[in-house]
Amino acid sequence: DVKVTQSSRYLVKRTGEKVFLECVQDMDHENMFWYRQDPGLGLRLIYFSYDVKMKEKGDIPEGYSVSREKKERFSLILESASTNQTSMYLCASSPAGPLGANVLTFGAGSRLTVL
Amino acid sequence: KQEVTQIPAALSVPEGENLVLNCSFTDSAIYNLQWFRQDPGKGLTSLLLIQSSQREQTSGRLNASLDKSSGRSTLYIAASQPGDSATYLCAVLNEKLTFGTGTRLTIIP
């Protein structure tokens, strides 16, 4: 069964801490994405990557960075966590092609609370 | 700017009934539309993807239709079961992928 695996399901961090969210996919997909999901706001795209070492800003990249050193792994980094970054973070992947042109496969999500 | 609306936000239906979930979008120049299911505290599972040239897609008890000209899609679920309880989201692709906020469906045994 193909999967997108997010390493942490629940995290609690303090304001100012550096936070790493890891995502690994085993489908050999070229595209990988990070979304955040908040009540009433739906899913918003933070960053995406269409190839190793390539990244593109999404709709809300401020306060975040990403790393894609290997095809299967896409990391989201919060350099200095703030309370307004408390959210559910969802990683997704898809085969090569324009964003959304192919079916997205999502991970189970990482719920981050920043105190 | 594309806006995607799903009304109602929540729906409760007795087990066994057929039901329809709605998705409306403001910009009809889309490439495709996807329907997803999300269980509480979990990620999204893709259910159906309809290309702009298609009118509908079917998978088991699910049937999704697309009417680009009116900016609407519906997800029809036949013979609903308690296991169908989840939040259903649609997402529309034009120059970017825009998600609706979902309809939370509860099937009452």
Side-chain angles (χ1 to χ4, degrees), chain B residues 16-28:
Chain B
E17 287 197 3
N18 304 325
L19 61 100
V20 173
L21 304 178
N22 299 300
C23 174
S24 300
F25 46 95
T26 54
D27 183 351
S28 61

PDB file of all heavy atoms in Angstrom, chain B residues 16-28:
ATOM      1  N   GLY B  16     -28.723   4.239   4.899  1.00  0.00           N
ATOM      2  CA  GLY B  16     -29.475   3.653   3.794  1.00  0.00           C
ATOM      3  C   GLY B  16     -29.975   4.659   2.776  1.00  0.00           C
ATOM      4  O   GLY B  16     -30.295   4.274   1.647  1.00  0.00           O
ATOM      5  N   GLU B  17     -30.030   5.933   3.163  1.00  0.00           N
ATOM      6  CA  GLU B  17     -30.508   6.934   2.229  1.00  0.00           C
ATOM      7  C   GLU B  17     -29.441   7.313   1.211  1.00  0.00           C
ATOM      8  O   GLU B  17     -28.246   7.216   1.475  1.00  0.00           O
ATOM      9  CB  GLU B  17     -30.964   8.187   2.980  1.00  0.00           C
ATOM     10  CG  GLU B  17     -32.261   8.004   3.721  1.00  0.00           C
ATOM     11  CD  GLU B  17     -32.892   9.331   4.099  1.00  0.00           C
ATOM     12  OE1 GLU B  17     -32.356  10.392   3.745  1.00  0.00           O
ATOM     13  OE2 GLU B  17     -33.945   9.298   4.771  1.00  0.00           O
ATOM     14  N   ASN B  18     -29.917   7.754   0.067  1.00  0.00           N
ATOM     15  CA  ASN B  18     -29.028   8.349  -0.932  1.00  0.00           C
ATOM     16  C   ASN B  18     -28.886   9.827  -0.613  1.00  0.00           C
ATOM     17  O   ASN B  18     -29.808  10.458  -0.094  1.00  0.00           O
ATOM     18  CB  ASN B  18     -29.616   8.188  -2.341  1.00  0.00           C
ATOM     19  CG  ASN B  18     -29.902   6.741  -2.684  1.00  0.00           C
ATOM     20  OD1 ASN B  18     -29.163   5.844  -2.278  1.00  0.00           O
ATOM     21  ND2 ASN B  18     -30.976   6.507  -3.406  1.00  0.00           N
ATOM     22  N   LEU B  19     -27.709  10.402  -0.892  1.00  0.00           N
ATOM     23  CA  LEU B  19     -27.533  11.806  -0.559  1.00  0.00           C
ATOM     24  C   LEU B  19     -26.637  12.486  -1.585  1.00  0.00           C
ATOM     25  O   LEU B  19     -25.910  11.829  -2.335  1.00  0.00           O
ATOM     26  CB  LEU B  19     -26.932  11.947   0.838  1.00  0.00           C
ATOM     27  CG  LEU B  19     -25.561  11.330   1.055  1.00  0.00           C
ATOM     28  CD1 LEU B  19     -24.483  12.404   0.995  1.00  0.00           C
ATOM     29  CD2 LEU B  19     -25.484  10.607   2.386  1.00  0.00           C
ATOM     30  N   VAL B  20     -26.720  13.808  -1.601  1.00  0.00           N
ATOM     31  CA  VAL B  20     -25.930  14.615  -2.530  1.00  0.00           C
ATOM     32  C   VAL B  20     -25.192  15.701  -1.760  1.00  0.00           C
ATOM     33  O   VAL B  20     -25.788  16.409  -0.942  1.00  0.00           O
ATOM     34  CB  VAL B  20     -26.839  15.262  -3.597  1.00  0.00           C
ATOM     35  CG1 VAL B  20     -26.044  16.231  -4.461  1.00  0.00           C
ATOM     36  CG2 VAL B  20     -27.502  14.189  -4.456  1.00  0.00           C
ATOM     37  N   LEU B  21     -23.915  15.816  -2.029  1.00  0.00           N
ATOM     38  CA  LEU B  21     -23.095  16.901  -1.474  1.00  0.00           C
ATOM     39  C   LEU B  21     -22.775  17.884  -2.593  1.00  0.00           C
ATOM     40  O   LEU B  21     -22.561  17.480  -3.740  1.00  0.00           O
ATOM     41  CB  LEU B  21     -21.804  16.337  -0.877  1.00  0.00           C
ATOM     42  CG  LEU B  21     -21.982  15.260   0.187  1.00  0.00           C
ATOM     43  CD1 LEU B  21     -20.621  14.749   0.660  1.00  0.00           C
ATOM     44  CD2 LEU B  21     -22.782  15.796   1.367  1.00  0.00           C
ATOM     45  N   ASN B  22     -22.729  19.149  -2.238  1.00  0.00           N
ATOM     46  CA  ASN B  22     -22.583  20.198  -3.244  1.00  0.00           C
ATOM     47  C   ASN B  22     -21.257  20.930  -3.164  1.00  0.00           C
ATOM     48  O   ASN B  22     -20.702  21.113  -2.078  1.00  0.00           O
ATOM     49  CB  ASN B  22     -23.698  21.232  -3.072  1.00  0.00           C
ATOM     50  CG  ASN B  22     -25.062  20.625  -3.263  1.00  0.00           C
ATOM     51  OD1 ASN B  22     -25.369  20.088  -4.323  1.00  0.00           O
ATOM     52  ND2 ASN B  22     -25.897  20.698  -2.236  1.00  0.00           N
ATOM     53  N   CYS B  23     -20.789  21.363  -4.298  1.00  0.00           N
ATOM     54  CA  CYS B  23     -19.567  22.159  -4.405  1.00  0.00           C
ATOM     55  C   CYS B  23     -19.791  23.205  -5.486  1.00  0.00           C
ATOM     56  O   CYS B  23     -20.140  22.847  -6.622  1.00  0.00           O
ATOM     57  CB  CYS B  23     -18.390  21.254  -4.755  1.00  0.00           C
ATOM     58  SG  CYS B  23     -16.836  22.112  -5.100  1.00  0.00           S
ATOM     59  N   SER B  24     -19.611  24.479  -5.131  1.00  0.00           N
ATOM     60  CA  SER B  24     -19.771  25.573  -6.101  1.00  0.00           C
ATOM     61  C   SER B  24     -18.473  26.329  -6.237  1.00  0.00           C
ATOM     62  O   SER B  24     -17.746  26.500  -5.249  1.00  0.00           O
ATOM     63  CB  SER B  24     -20.878  26.537  -5.639  1.00  0.00           C
ATOM     64  OG  SER B  24     -22.105  25.876  -5.507  1.00  0.00           O
ATOM     65  N   PHE B  25     -18.194  26.798  -7.446  1.00  0.00           N
ATOM     66  CA  PHE B  25     -16.978  27.563  -7.673  1.00  0.00           C
ATOM     67  C   PHE B  25     -17.288  28.742  -8.575  1.00  0.00           C
ATOM     68  O   PHE B  25     -18.216  28.693  -9.399  1.00  0.00           O
ATOM     69  CB  PHE B  25     -15.855  26.695  -8.263  1.00  0.00           C
ATOM     70  CG  PHE B  25     -16.275  25.801  -9.397  1.00  0.00           C
ATOM     71  CD1 PHE B  25     -16.122  26.213 -10.715  1.00  0.00           C
ATOM     72  CD2 PHE B  25     -16.801  24.545  -9.145  1.00  0.00           C
ATOM     73  CE1 PHE B  25     -16.492  25.387 -11.762  1.00  0.00           C
ATOM     74  CE2 PHE B  25     -17.178  23.707 -10.196  1.00  0.00           C
ATOM     75  CZ  PHE B  25     -17.033  24.138 -11.501  1.00  0.00           C
ATOM     76  N   THR B  26     -16.528  29.813  -8.415  1.00  0.00           N
ATOM     77  CA  THR B  26     -16.864  31.078  -9.068  1.00  0.00           C
ATOM     78  C   THR B  26     -16.240  31.227 -10.456  1.00  0.00           C
ATOM     79  O   THR B  26     -16.807  31.899 -11.312  1.00  0.00           O
ATOM     80  CB  THR B  26     -16.429  32.263  -8.193  1.00  0.00           C
ATOM     81  OG1 THR B  26     -15.040  32.118  -7.875  1.00  0.00           O
ATOM     82  CG2 THR B  26     -17.242  32.312  -6.911  1.00  0.00           C
ATOM     83  N   ASP B  27     -15.098  30.625 -10.688  1.00  0.00           N
ATOM     84  CA  ASP B  27     -14.424  30.735 -11.978  1.00  0.00           C
ATOM     85  C   ASP B  27     -14.570  29.412 -12.718  1.00  0.00           C
ATOM     86  O   ASP B  27     -14.010  28.410 -12.298  1.00  0.00           O
ATOM     87  CB  ASP B  27     -12.949  31.074 -11.770  1.00  0.00           C
ATOM     88  CG  ASP B  27     -12.188  31.281 -13.070  1.00  0.00           C
ATOM     89  OD1 ASP B  27     -12.749  31.004 -14.160  1.00  0.00           O
ATOM     90  OD2 ASP B  27     -11.031  31.724 -13.008  1.00  0.00           O
ATOM     91  N   SER B  28     -15.321  29.418 -13.807  1.00  0.00           N
ATOM     92  CA  SER B  28     -15.624  28.157 -14.495  1.00  0.00           C
ATOM     93  C   SER B  28     -14.488  27.669 -15.398  1.00  0.00           C
ATOM     94  O   SER B  28     -14.567  26.571 -15.946  1.00  0.00           O
ATOM     95  CB  SER B  28     -16.897  28.318 -15.332  1.00  0.00           C
ATOM     96  OG  SER B  28     -16.711  29.319 -16.321  1.00  0.00           O
TER      97      SER B  28
END
